[in-house]
Amino acid sequence: MPRPRIALALGSGGLKGMAHVGVLRALEEAEIRPAVYAGSSAGALVAAAAAHGIALAEMISLAERLRRRSLFQIDFLGLLRYGLRTPALYRSAPLRALCDELFGETTFKQLRTPLVVSSVDVGTSTPLWWGMEGLSDVPVADAVYASCAMPGLLPPGLVSGRICMDGGVLDPLALRAVAPLADLVIAVVLDSNPARTLGTARMSAAPTLWWHAHTMVARDLSRHMLAGWDGPPLLLVRPQLRNVHPLRGADPEWLVDAGYEAARIALDRWDGLTVSAGDAHRI
């Protein structure tokens, strides 16, 4: 029998996204090769790296490098120049440089494996799934940056003439576009665990408050989408990342191991295609 078409959908979650690399390692050990990758925000970055054929060892090395030099650097010059009119709290340059380094001028059409990247069109407030028909002749680097551009924290990105922002705003799991492309979807959820209650002093920081609100919204969006899922069978992977801050992250090796263990446990429970869509809401 032909192999089932498997889509791997990687969810949003800031620097918690390093856990996705562990999921990829578990799938590689199980000799599971996705026919299509999809991702939103941090998940878009890892999904694009996998679709581009970047080796796991290189991804792990990248995770360690990111911990030493943060992607989230406050844009002091913008704050001084524009004040409250500044487009974002953090500079776009570190993340933009990373996307250019990883993907260069590669377009979706040139990738080894099909890829779908979730973003939101700022002008129309509608989701855009780059890589789908009619949206594939664009640089992967542009789409991935835009998918990671959290409103208020990172400036939006320009993709094929459209101003776009974080895909997690409307589609944290990048699921809706891949249903017609797969016989089974493996979805990795990073934002469903509630954060530990934070003290008043720590909660007073604007980025922390923003992330706390964003996490709650993304969690509820994911649950709503999974509860109403009517696509192909869905296998959920849920790394245990309680209290990992999405801007500060955690030890990269620990994050990768958490993703690996969660994927290994989920795959041990999987028996062919017997996972039913009706189980999807049990996150």
Side-chain angles (χ1 to χ4, degrees):
M1 295 180 62
R3 286 175 175 263
R5 299 172 303 163
I6 296 176
L8 178 63
L10 304 180
S12 60
L15 291 181
K16 293 188 290 185
M18 291 300 105
H20 289 316
V21 179
V23 174
L24 293 175
R25 188 175 75 184
L27 295 181
E28 184 177 273
E29 288 183 2
E31 298 184 351
I32 294 174
R33 299 177 180 84
V36 58
Y37 292 93
S40 182
S41 197
L45 179 64
V46 179
H52 194 38
I54 295 176
L56 286 177
E58 186 176 346
M59 293 189 206
I60 293 172
S61 175
L62 173 64
E64 295 171 347
R65 192 180 77 184
L66 290 180
R67 190 189 184 198
R68 293 193 298 269
R69 185 175 182 181
S70 176
L71 289 176
F72 301 105
Q73 300 176 13
I74 294 178
D75 186 4
F76 291 108
L77 182 60
L79 289 170
L80 288 172
R81 180 178 297 173
Y82 301 111
L84 293 176
R85 294 183 293 110
T86 189
L89 178 62
Y90 297 113
R91 298 172 59 231
S92 63
L95 179 58
R96 182 73 245 191
L98 174 63
C99 293
D100 291 339
E101 175 189 339
L102 291 176
F103 311 116
E105 296 299 320
T106 301
T107 67
F108 284 83
K109 288 183 175 180
Q110 297 170 322
L111 291 171
R112 297 185 182 185
T113 307
L115 169 70
V116 177
V117 167
S118 171
S119 70
V120 176
D121 187 314
V122 174
T124 62
S125 301
T126 56
L128 286 172
W129 292 287
W130 301 102
M132 299 295 290
E133 186 175 355
L135 296 173
S136 59
D137 194 19
V138 299
V140 173
D142 291 349
V144 169
Y145 171 82
S147 185
C148 295
M150 299 155 287
L153 296 187
L154 286 169
L158 187 65
V159 189
S160 190
R162 304 190 192 191
I163 299 175
C164 300
M165 64 180 177
D166 187 359
V169 170
L170 292 179
D171 190 2
L173 293 175
L175 277 177
R176 283 187 269 176
V178 299
L181 308 177
D183 303 307
L184 169 75
V185 178
I186 301 174
V188 185
V189 181
L190 300 182
D191 54 11
S192 57
N193 287 315
R196 179 180 58 195
T197 302
L198 302 176
T200 303
R202 290 179 61 193
M203 285 296 289
S204 63
T208 299
L209 283 170
W210 188 97
W211 264 109
H212 192 63
H214 178 76
T215 297
M216 290 188 291
V217 171
R219 179 191 62 204
D220 290 345
L221 273 173
S222 297
R223 287 181 172 175
H224 176 74
M225 184 174 297
L226 292 170
W229 177 252
D230 59 357
L234 184 66
L235 179 68
L236 291 177
V237 178
R238 182 188 174 189
Q240 295 301 308
L241 304 176
R242 187 181 298 275
N243 303 323
V244 176
H245 196 287
L247 294 182
R248 293 191 295 268
D251 177 63
E253 184 177 350
W254 182 87
L255 285 170
V256 171
D257 286 345
Y260 172 80
E261 287 301 322
R264 187 183 58 79
I265 292 170
L267 291 173
D268 285 345
R269 294 197 307 264
W270 176 35
D271 180 16
L273 293 178
T274 60
V275 179
S276 68
D279 292 333
H281 66 282
R282 298 175 187 171
I283 62 175

